Amino acid sequence: MEKQLDESRFEQRLQLWALRIPRELASAVTRLLRSGYLFDMPRVKPVVEDPESDKNRLVVLSEKIQSADLSDIEEKVYDSLKQLCNIDVVPYSLTLGYSYWSAGHVAHLNIPDDLLPYKDVIAKVIYDKNYPRIQTVANKVGSITNEFRVPQFEILAGKSDMVTEVKQYGATFKLDYGLVYWNSRLEHEHIRLVSLFKKGDVICDMFAGIGPFSIPAAQKGCIVYANDLNPDSVHYLRTNAQINKVDDYIFTYNMDARVFMQNLLEVPCSGNKSESHVAAANYSSEDINPTNESSTSNENHSDVRESCQKDINGSSMMSTTTKRRQETSNGGGAYCQEDANHTKKRNNKRVKGSGPPPIKPWEHFDHVVMNLPASALQFLDCFSGLVQKKYWTGSLPWIHCYCFIRSSESEELILSEAQNKLNAKIAEPIFHRVRDVAPNKAMFCLSFRLPSECLKGESEDHIQSVDC
């Protein structure tokens, strides 16, 4: 008996609410609603055409808005909306098919066990319907158990080529689906968090992957110290920094996250750590040699990377890129001084900052990104006593720790676990719900300022100096 494909089994239908507004007010309304009230899903626009009138637009609201009276929206936001225009709330239906869940030319499927007998039919339908945009159909096999959190795939249709490119918010990401982790459904979360950063901020990305947070942060003009344990992820992180022409602003590491933070925050006995010691970045047998038309053409400015690189074993080395750039510079300081407009044509011009890059992260950094929701909470203990009080300047950094919360758990339970790991009380924690990953499991981002109790005091500093 021939098996029939029930295509409806592979669709996700969402029943949402939308605001019908004059089209000229679309930007103002979305600005008011962007704090969690807009529909937030990658590659789905929250502002769409109104089928009833080309003079209006529909602003699609978040799934958490359950009622047409908008009682789920904060009162002050609701009042601001009413001041802008008359509020017309209408139902809005959205259907997502399997072709939605793709990255580049690869369609990534998660076929449930009861439908596995139909997997070849499913793959053929998706391939035939979407070719040539989709050229590979792959199904995730089993659960993720390996050290680098990389899923295993079975190729069901098309070519066995898992190397692809994905575009997100003006950035291009190259990756090998078979070697690194990537989730296109986190696109809005990437940009949400990066929107909290300011130009010139210093970012520590502990589980950077191929750069979904690091690349857009660097495009914004931030200095990024990016680490990942998976050497393939670090390879593509460097490749993507080069593709997006922000490699001057991203320093990459391939080590355990705790060792990465300890290395970055280590204060030398002299209290005057050299730039070469900090830039333990980009140490690998594979040297990437990007062109640098901006820095080499200006004799008054030298490149951020004009420093001796040092690997984690302490042996000094200098990349071919660094040597070439030093030969073309006039021997000035190792700082990028040019203040270019990084928001214009950022895909074809190298980003430049307005001031010197930091060479003393043990004195100050602004944000730490911990995007490993399955276990990031367990790494919070590395911050206890990591920052030395007598060297630190300015405000303490924001920690953005991703985690899973099951229906049987609560935010209070997660907060308690985080505080136990830090051995300190967290003041004013912020929980942001990222997305549901299962019927009884959701991904959250817990953001907070590092508690002052985590600072290492003067007496502990003295002990360290004696040990040195």
Side-chain angles (χ1 to χ4, degrees):
M1 180 178 177
E2 184 180 354
K3 295 176 181 177
Q4 298 297 315
L5 175 65
D6 181 4
E7 294 186 29
S8 65
R9 296 287 299 274
F10 308 100
E11 293 180 338
Q12 182 179 358
R13 292 186 176 89
L14 303 176
Q15 302 300 323
L16 306 165
W17 294 103
L19 301 182
R20 178 178 282 124
I21 61 168
R23 63 185 181 187
E24 63 269 16
L25 294 179
S27 295
V29 171
T30 53
R31 277 197 299 270
L32 277 175
L33 297 173
R34 71 173 42 158
S35 58
Y37 300 118
L38 281 178
F39 184 68
D40 184 10
M41 187 165 282
R43 303 193 303 284
V44 178
K45 295 179 179 179
V47 180
V48 297
E49 301 283 339
D50 182 356
E52 296 185 10
S53 172
D54 61 0
K55 294 181 179 179
N56 295 329
R57 293 291 183 268
L58 296 181
V59 178
V60 186
L61 299 177
S62 166
E63 295 165 276
K64 72 181 183 182
I65 308 300
Q66 298 291 318
S67 175
D69 64 7
L70 305 184
S71 56
D72 298 306
I73 294 181
E74 189 179 355
E75 186 175 352
K76 66 177 183 180
V77 176
Y78 181 73
D79 290 341
S80 298
L81 278 174
K82 289 196 297 184
Q83 292 175 10
L84 278 176
C85 59
N86 292 327
I87 299 177
D88 184 13
V89 183
V90 297
Y92 184 81
S93 297
L94 177 66
T95 301
L96 302 175
Y98 252 127
S99 61
Y100 168 80
W101 311 109
S102 64
H105 74 271
V106 179
H108 163 201
L109 310 185
N110 277 322
I111 301 177
D113 291 342
D114 60 324
L115 296 173
L116 283 176
Y118 300 90
K119 65 181 182 180
D120 293 325
V121 179
I122 296 168
K124 178 172 174 53
V125 170
I126 293 172
Y127 182 83
D128 290 346
K129 179 181 177 182
N130 296 283
Y131 186 86
R133 185 177 68 84
I134 297 298
Q135 299 181 30
T136 301
V137 181
N139 182 45
K140 191 179 83 169
V141 179
S143 58
I144 301 176
T145 58
N146 58 72
E147 181 183 21
F148 300 140
R149 306 291 300 165
V150 178
Q152 299 296 311
F153 290 97
E154 175 188 14
I155 305 297
L156 299 179
K159 60 184 180 181
S160 300
D161 179 11
M162 300 290 278
V163 178
T164 189
E165 284 191 358
V166 183
K167 294 185 184 296
Q168 285 193 355
Y169 283 95
T172 299
F173 297 92
K174 187 174 182 178
L175 65 133
D176 185 329
Y177 240 113
L179 297 177
V180 304
Y181 178 83
W182 177 262
N183 190 335
S184 292
R185 284 169 283 186
L186 295 176
E187 179 178 9
H188 282 201
E189 177 58 19
H190 299 152
I191 206 65
R192 179 197 73 86
L193 191 64
V194 172
S195 71
L196 303 178
F197 306 161
K198 298 188 294 292
K199 180 178 179 179
D201 278 356
V202 184
I203 314 300
C204 301
D205 195 348
M206 293 177 65
F207 312 99
I210 67 167
F213 289 106
S214 296
I215 299 295
Q219 286 180 318
K220 195 170 186 176
C222 300
I223 303 296
V224 184
Y225 294 100
N227 172 74
D228 201 274
L229 187 63
N230 183 351
D232 293 307
S233 293
V234 176
H235 163 72
Y236 281 104
L237 171 58
R238 291 175 179 153
T239 299
N240 292 327
Q242 184 182 0
I243 289 172
N244 292 280
K245 300 184 179 179
V246 292
D247 47 314
D248 288 342
Y249 272 58
I250 295 181
F251 295 84
T252 58
Y253 297 72
N254 176 211
M255 57 180 73
D256 175 83
R258 286 189 177 88
V259 178
F260 161 66
M261 291 305 300
Q262 290 164 1
N263 182 283
L264 210 59
L265 274 295
E266 179 190 354
V267 179
C269 296
S270 65
N272 186 24
K273 200 175 192 179
S274 68
E275 182 181 355
S276 62
H277 188 86
V278 176
N282 305 293
Y283 68 90
S284 80
S285 58
E286 179 181 3
D287 185 34
I288 297 174
N289 299 315
T291 59
N292 189 1
E293 64 279 1
S294 298
S295 61
T296 56
S297 63
N298 190 337
E299 294 184 355
N300 294 321
H301 304 102
S302 56
D303 195 278
V304 172
R305 296 182 191 269
E306 285 181 22
S307 64
C308 181
Q309 305 289 309
K310 188 173 184 180
D311 66 9
I312 56 174
N313 295 320
S315 60
S316 297
M317 62 180 248
M318 186 178 294
S319 71
T320 305
T321 305
T322 302
K323 290 178 181 177
R324 189 182 72 243
R325 291 175 180 174
Q326 286 185 336
E327 288 169 357
T328 57
S329 73
N330 68 343
Y335 301 140
C336 172
Q337 304 282 350
E338 183 178 350
D339 186 10
N341 185 347
H342 67 280
T343 60
K344 281 189 177 182
K345 301 179 181 178
R346 64 183 180 184
N347 286 331
N348 58 18
K349 287 194 176 181
R350 188 173 299 279
V351 172
K352 291 294 176 183
S354 59
I359 58 173
K360 298 180 180 180
W362 65 92
E363 290 185 353
H364 186 83
F365 55 89
D366 298 283
H367 296 269
V368 178
V369 183
M370 304 177 68
N371 183 28
L372 191 67
S375 57
L377 283 169
Q378 307 307 313
F379 286 81
L380 286 174
D381 58 3
C382 78
F383 294 103
S384 182
L386 184 65
V387 177
Q388 295 198 36
K389 184 177 181 179
K390 72 176 182 179
Y391 294 108
W392 191 261
T393 61
S395 301
L396 287 169
W398 279 93
I399 311 296
H400 306 283
C401 182
Y402 288 86
C403 59
F404 292 129
I405 301 182
R406 292 169 174 80
S407 58
S408 59
E409 300 172 328
S410 65
E411 293 180 3
E412 290 74 20
L413 178 65
I414 298 300
L415 181 61
S416 176
E417 183 178 352
Q419 291 180 148
N420 288 337
K421 287 294 181 182
L422 290 167
N423 196 26
K425 183 174 177 57
I426 295 173
E428 301 181 0
I430 300 171
F431 279 93
H432 172 76
R433 191 186 191 101
V434 177
R435 69 184 187 98
D436 293 335
V437 296
N440 298 310
K441 182 179 175 182
M443 179 179 172
F444 280 79
C445 178
L446 168 60
S447 296
F448 59 91
R449 280 203 183 273
L450 185 69
S452 58
E453 295 90 335
C454 291
L455 294 176
K456 183 183 292 186
E458 297 287 343
S459 59
E460 294 168 283
D461 292 338
H462 175 71
I463 293 171
Q464 186 199 39
S465 64
V466 171
D467 292 341
C468 287

